[in-house]
């Protein structure tokens, strides 16, 4: 899936709700989307517990991120903090309800 996403030049929205990609899958997915035109990513109920991303791997055009109904705890939010503190961040909407934050 990663090679497909890296070459999907017209993909603007991606819904992966209720897939069991877990934290590892989400982190790989996020890195793969770095240079894509994706503006909306929904990963509700995917079993995500932590988000670990570097500032260099944040999707450049991402505006909406839905991570509700996962198992993200306070310690698992470091990647989210990176998203919100990035100098060139484009994120406008972040859904985190029903996590363990």
């Amino acid at each position: 899936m990663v090679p497909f996403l890296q070459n999907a030049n017209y993909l603007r929205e991606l819904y992966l709700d209720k897939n069991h990609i877990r934290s590892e899958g989400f982190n790989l997915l996020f890195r793969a989307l770095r240079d894509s035109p994706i503006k909306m990513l929904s990963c509700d109920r995917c079993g995500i517990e932590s988000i670990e991303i570097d500032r260099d791997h944040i999707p450049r055009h991402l505006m909406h991120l839905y991570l509700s109904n996962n198992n993200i705890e306070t310690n698992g939010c470091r990647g989210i903090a990176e998203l919100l503190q990035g100098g060139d961040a484009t994120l406008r909407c972040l859904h985190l309800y029903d996590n363990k934050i």
Side-chain angles (χ1 to χ4, degrees), residues 16-35:
L16 294 173
D17 301 345
K18 298 181 184 177
N19 283 288
H20 202 62
I21 62 171
R22 305 190 57 117
S23 300
E24 299 83 16
F26 177 79
N27 293 326
L28 286 172
L29 170 72
F30 219 68
R31 286 183 189 98
L33 294 172
R34 180 184 183 271
D35 293 321

Side-chain angles (χ1 to χ4, degrees), residues 31-89:
R31 286 183 189 98
L33 294 172
R34 180 184 183 271
D35 293 321
S36 78
I38 192 105
K39 291 186 178 193
M40 195 284 303
L41 175 61
S42 184
C43 291
D44 291 353
R45 299 174 192 214
C46 286
I48 300 167
E49 296 176 348
S50 66
I51 298 171
E52 299 173 15
I53 26 178
D54 300 326
R55 285 187 185 189
D56 296 338
H57 293 105
I58 297 172
R60 297 176 182 182
H61 304 287
L62 187 66
M63 297 177 72
H64 303 274
L65 179 59
Y66 299 90
L67 295 171
S68 301
N69 299 297
N70 282 291
N71 299 314
I72 302 170
E73 296 184 359
T74 305
N75 290 337
C77 289
R78 289 188 182 101
I80 294 172
E82 291 289 328
L83 276 174
L84 298 174
Q85 294 174 356
D88 54 350

